[in-house]
Amino acid sequence: MSEDVLVSIPRNPVPDGAVAGSIRTPDGKRLRFARWRATGRAAQGTILLCQGRSEFIEKYHETIDSFRARGFAVLTFDWRGQGGSERPLPNARKGHVGAIEEYETDLVAVIEQLLLPDCPPPHFLVAHSMGGFLALRSAPLIARWIDRMVLSAPFLGLSERYGPSDLLAVAARAGDTLGFGKAYAPGGGDTPGEWGPFASNTVTSDPTRFARAGAILEARPALALGGPTFRWMRVMFDAQANVALPEFGARVPVPILIVSAGADTIVSNTAQESAARLLRTCGRVVIDGAKHEAMMERDLYREQFLAAVDAFLPGTPTFA
């Protein structure tokens, strides 16, 4: 089966009308993508949907249908190193990247090769976790193409439960410098979180949506990703430190809404609050009680996320 073909299982069918394929980045990496036309009211533009670390297109089928029903076309893709896109290491389960600029290359390639020529304007961006951080970091560059951004639980720092971020950054740099850059960071391994028990998961309180993600990976294990490497962690910590500088916030012109998950234990809500203060064109809302993945949460929380999208992206109606 082609790596570009989307996985369809009974509990998570591929939305009708999918156009799936792959592109090559300027540095030669293959990225898998998929896009859809709107199905609801008159076209409202296009949402570029950027996933979090370890995620894949199929995990968002339900959310893609929700956006399409609101009149949006949707374009999404798998970042290099995960999903159905090209992976950099012999052990494909390792979450690895050489430099933060590689992710920026992915985002710009998708915009230039797919969003601008094939997707109706205006162009909005909705991104989760790592994708939210990467979109924010790239905002000074991509603002000329993107009208507004919604960032779901952006990975601007790890949750405080992991310990002081400065010490974690030092450990990541030390491990990378000592030659362990391609080794798993402590606590990492080949098993994806979606195959763990629901009771101990930290991403959603919805057992059905959690099991659905695991079932997709059972159907195509090649989509699975394990833990991050020392180099990945170092790259992220270094880039986050730069984005946290006041001068960075002054360079971001695009309107942004940060949607924080109130019960998030993966990424730092404190860092998101700080970013919202530093960015000149940013607002923030908190979904009290929601875990990290608001788009995969129980309806009680997921509908609050969609309501925030409805309110922020121009021209969208309010849906129940």
Side-chain angles (χ1 to χ4, degrees):
M1 180 181 292
S2 168
E3 294 168 310
D4 296 338
V5 174
L6 300 177
V7 177
S8 187
I9 59 175
R11 70 176 86 177
N12 193 64
V14 177
D16 293 340
V19 175
S22 61
I23 62 171
R24 287 281 174 183
T25 63
D27 60 344
K29 305 304 179 183
R30 183 185 59 82
L31 303 181
R32 185 177 70 145
F33 77 88
R35 57 182 171 86
W36 288 263
R37 293 181 177 178
T39 59
R41 56 181 300 201
Q44 303 299 300
T46 299
I47 287 177
L48 173 57
L49 179 59
C50 299
Q51 308 156 24
R53 197 197 83 83
S54 85
E55 294 188 317
F56 43 90
I57 293 169
E58 290 85 351
K59 187 173 177 179
Y60 284 87
H61 285 172
E62 181 184 20
T63 298
I64 288 164
D65 273 337
S66 296
F67 290 157
R68 295 174 76 202
R70 286 161 162 73
F72 293 105
V74 179
L75 169 64
T76 189
F77 68 100
D78 292 338
W79 298 100
R80 68 177 67 201
Q82 64 186 56
S85 291
E86 186 172 340
R87 303 200 180 191
L89 300 181
N91 181 353
R93 289 286 177 87
K94 289 184 175 180
H96 184 76
V97 73
I100 196 68
E101 289 78 13
E102 294 177 14
Y103 287 133
E104 184 175 275
T105 296
D106 291 353
L107 185 55
V108 172
V110 168
I111 290 172
E112 291 185 335
Q113 297 183 42
L114 297 168
L115 183 69
L116 298 180
D118 299 327
C119 301
H123 296 139
F124 306 111
L125 187 149
V126 177
H128 174 64
S129 195
M130 181 190 82
F133 167 66
L134 296 174
L136 177 58
R137 181 190 174 277
S138 300
L141 174 62
I142 67 173
R144 52 182 161 160
W145 301 311
I146 301 297
D147 290 86
R148 290 191 169 205
M149 295 183 183
V150 178
L151 308 182
S152 164
F155 176 37
L156 304 180
L158 283 172
S159 168
E160 289 73 15
R161 77 182 180 97
Y162 292 104
S165 58
D166 290 347
L167 293 181
L168 294 172
V170 168
R173 293 188 195 103
D176 186 41
T177 301
L178 291 172
F180 299 104
K182 295 180 181 179
Y184 280 121
D190 285 350
T191 303
E194 291 86 352
W195 285 346
F198 170 74
S200 60
N201 98 88
T202 55
V203 297
T204 179
S205 62
D206 189 302
T208 300
R209 291 183 172 112
F210 179 80
R212 182 181 66 193
I216 298 167
L217 295 183
E218 293 285 355
R220 188 180 295 177
L223 294 176
L225 192 70
T229 63
F230 274 103
R231 171 62 63 84
W232 189 92
M233 294 298 296
R234 176 180 185 169
V235 163
M236 286 294 152
F237 282 129
D238 289 348
Q240 287 166 354
N242 289 329
V243 168
L245 297 174
E247 52 264 36
F248 175 84
R251 295 170 47 223
V252 178
V254 61
I256 294 172
L257 175 66
I258 292 176
V259 183
S260 299
D264 203 327
T265 59
I266 295 178
V267 302
S268 171
N269 276 335
T270 301
Q272 293 166 31
E273 182 180 5
S274 296
R277 289 198 304 266
L278 289 174
L279 295 165
R280 294 179 176 178
T281 57
C282 183
R284 177 174 178 257
V285 297
V286 180
I287 304 177
D288 289 333
K291 291 189 175 183
H292 182 58
E293 296 181 353
M295 286 178 269
M296 313 297 161
E297 259 287 12
R298 286 185 288 151
D299 288 348
L300 169 67
Y301 303 124
R302 184 174 182 272
E303 289 169 3
Q304 291 181 57
F305 176 82
L306 292 173
V309 173
D310 290 340
F312 187 67
L313 297 190
T316 55
T318 300
F319 280 66

